[in-house]
Amino acid sequence: MGDQADWMSQLCPRLWDVPLHHLSIPGSHDTMTYCLNRKSPISRARSRLLHLLGRVLPFLTGPAVMKWAVTQTLDVTRQLDAGVRYLDLRIAHAPGGSARNLCFVHMMYTKALVEDTLTEVAEWLQLHPREVVIVACRDFEGMTREMHDYLVGCIVNIFGDTLCPRGEVPTLGQLWAREQQVLVSYEDEATVSRHDELWPAIPYWWGNAVKTDALLQFLETKKGHGRPGGLFVAGINVTENLCYVLLHPGDSLEEMTRRSVPLTTQWVRAQQPGQRPHCTNIIAGDFVGADGFVSDVISLNQKLVSP
């Protein structure tokens, strides 16, 4: 495939009438962690011991946590350029910030603000009018109802008429005809019930496994139970636990991910998009620019047109 910044518009015309949940779509897990740094505040959801260490030994704790908190190195524009079309946004209100200072979180809080990032996505979409992005808003650590309404207001103001309101999962052809480019899924049910612009939370199959073979076994078991009715994500991201971190002080999530690539690549290439129970849809990973992951996921769509 050529330039992946516009891969959707370059798909075989026979796929323009296939609903998005029957296509193969690459995603990034914990999309915004590329902007964490060693001085990023530790999330209040982390343990008290970690917070104590952060106050007493910040020069040790920050770098140690960051090794396991960072899941991406490409910024959001470069992820979109690379072909990523599902963004996993873990949103939080950091203690002490104003009600409008919503940031992103994964063990630590980002300095990047949600409003600025959504604007960056909207500006990218203007340059790529036939590309479609699925934005998953999740977690919402420390957020009140007023903050949710403020965030939805930002989403509506920034994306405007390019938002696709919830309903039947659309095809690319339908979205192009309506000049719509963004589906926003939102993990807070009460907020979704108040806003037609939002889609319910998209299920994310998270294996929570240190070992790659255990992760892939989990995904195969989920497939065996049948796919959800709409959009859904299979996460090929390995996950550390406290025991692993303590036993491997020199390791990092990036190293863990790199070692998992041969097996996860083999698994991805064996997948099949479509509507049958065992078919996959969005596949999300860590460090998405590091290998051929995005290309492999996009290429699966060829299986829908090949005999």
Side-chain angles (χ1 to χ4, degrees):
M1 179 150 314
D3 181 5
Q4 290 182 172
D6 294 289
W7 69 264
M8 286 178 153
S9 62
Q10 294 167 1
L11 284 174
C12 168
R14 282 168 58 188
L15 299 179
W16 297 352
D17 297 323
V18 174
L20 294 183
H21 63 310
H22 296 158
L23 293 177
S24 182
I25 298 172
S28 58
H29 167 250
D30 267 310
T31 301
M32 296 303 297
T33 55
Y34 62 84
C35 52
L36 293 173
N37 62 52
R38 295 176 176 200
K39 295 181 179 176
S40 297
I42 293 170
S43 157
R44 72 185 125 199
R46 298 289 118 188
S47 72
R48 275 187 278 183
L49 175 60
L50 205 51
H51 280 277
L52 181 62
L53 287 172
R55 286 196 295 273
V56 178
L57 300 168
F59 53 92
L60 287 178
T61 311
V65 175
M66 194 179 151
K67 288 198 308 179
W68 301 101
V70 172
T71 65
Q72 305 296 340
T73 52
L74 299 182
D75 65 36
V76 74
T77 293
R78 287 164 68 206
Q79 289 183 37
L80 293 168
D81 282 340
V84 167
R85 293 293 176 269
Y86 165 88
L87 304 177
D88 175 23
L89 305 185
R90 314 292 179 96
I91 297 171
H93 178 252
S98 85
R100 298 194 165 192
N101 277 18
L102 298 180
C103 61
F104 302 97
V105 65
H106 182 232
M107 300 189 202
M108 310 166 95
Y109 299 114
T110 66
K111 290 284 193 295
L113 297 180
V114 174
E115 199 169 344
D116 295 339
T117 298
L118 296 178
T119 301
E120 192 177 340
V121 173
E123 288 171 349
W124 186 89
L125 286 166
Q126 285 182 335
L127 299 175
H128 303 272
R130 282 161 73 88
E131 297 303 295
V132 174
V133 174
I134 299 157
V135 177
C137 297
R138 310 177 64 194
D139 270 25
F140 307 122
E141 184 193 308
M143 283 179 58
T144 62
R145 173 173 171 152
E146 290 70 28
M147 291 174 190
H148 280 292
D149 287 339
Y150 167 71
L151 175 55
V152 176
C154 289
I155 290 167
V156 172
N157 288 337
I158 291 167
F159 293 122
D161 292 339
T162 65
L163 275 175
C164 172
R166 71 175 172 271
E168 289 288 309
V169 179
T171 67
L172 286 172
Q174 288 168 336
L175 291 166
W176 294 339
R178 300 185 291 221
E179 298 185 351
Q180 294 171 345
Q181 291 181 273
V182 188
L183 278 73
V184 176
S185 96
Y186 207 87
E187 212 168 50
D188 185 73
E189 288 182 18
T191 306
V192 172
S193 70
R194 298 197 300 273
H195 299 280
D196 293 340
E197 301 89 352
L198 304 176
W199 292 68
I202 294 172
Y204 191 110
W205 291 354
W206 176 50
N208 192 17
V210 171
K211 294 186 175 177
T212 314
D213 52 359
L215 166 66
L216 299 180
Q217 182 58 56
F218 164 82
L219 293 175
E220 286 300 310
T221 301
K222 293 292 282 185
K223 282 171 58 182
H225 294 151
R227 50 171 293 144
L231 294 157
F232 74 103
V233 186
I236 59 161
N237 45 295
V238 287
T239 306
E240 83 293 341
N241 56 32
L242 182 59
C243 180
Y244 184 89
V245 171
L246 294 175
L247 290 173
H248 302 82
D251 211 345
S252 68
L253 186 60
E254 189 162 13
E255 283 294 306
M256 269 182 81
T257 302
R258 187 178 58 76
R259 290 194 297 271
S260 76
V261 164
L263 283 177
T264 55
T265 298
Q266 189 179 352
W267 185 85
V268 167
R269 290 177 177 172
Q271 299 315 299
Q272 168 77 44
Q275 55 189 307
R276 294 197 297 275
H278 66 276
C279 291
T280 51
N281 175 208
I282 300 164
I283 303 177
D286 290 333
F287 304 102
V288 291
D291 51 64
F293 163 71
V294 175
S295 301
D296 285 342
V297 177
I298 295 170
S299 296
L300 293 175
N301 290 299
Q302 286 300 114
K303 296 183 180 183
L304 292 173
V305 292
S306 303

